[in-house]
Amino acid sequence: MNSIVNNRNRDCFECRLLSGGGLFAAGLYVYHHSKQYHNQIGKATMYSIASVLVLLGTTRILDLPPFRNKFKDS
C-alpha cells in the first residue's frame, strides 16, 4: 500500500537544509555547553561530539556520503 508519506521526496534541498541545519545547530549547542567542564577529558569528549555533529550536518546539507543516494530508489 503506497501512501503520500511513503512517496514524498526526502532528498530535496529544503529537506537537506532543515535536517543538516538541525545537526549543525546541535553541534554548536554541544560546543557551547562544553565550556562548563573543568577537566580536560570532559572537554575533549564534548568537543569531539560537537565536531561530529557539525560534520554530519555539513555533509547532509552538501549531500555528501554517507547521505548521498540514501533515499533514492534503486
Side-chain angles (χ1 to χ4, degrees):
M1 175 182 216
N2 290 334
S3 69
I4 293 173
V5 174
N6 289 336
N7 291 331
R8 72 181 185 269
N9 183 10
R10 294 184 183 129
D11 206 31
C12 62
F13 179 71
E14 292 84 7
C15 298
R16 289 194 330 254
L17 189 63
L18 185 65
S19 61
L23 285 168
F24 194 87
L28 293 178
Y29 179 80
V30 171
Y31 173 75
H32 175 72
H33 285 284
S34 67
K35 295 176 185 177
Q36 71 183 359
Y37 286 95
H38 297 292
N39 61 357
Q40 296 293 23
I41 295 173
K43 277 188 180 184
T45 302
M46 295 300 278
Y47 286 155
S48 298
I49 292 171
S51 299
V52 167
L53 287 171
V54 167
L55 182 66
L56 283 174
T58 304
T59 56
R60 177 63 180 139
I61 291 170
L62 298 176
D63 196 27
L64 298 172
F67 298 107
R68 183 178 288 159
N69 298 328
K70 188 74 170 181
F71 298 109
K72 296 194 189 314
D73 294 327
S74 36

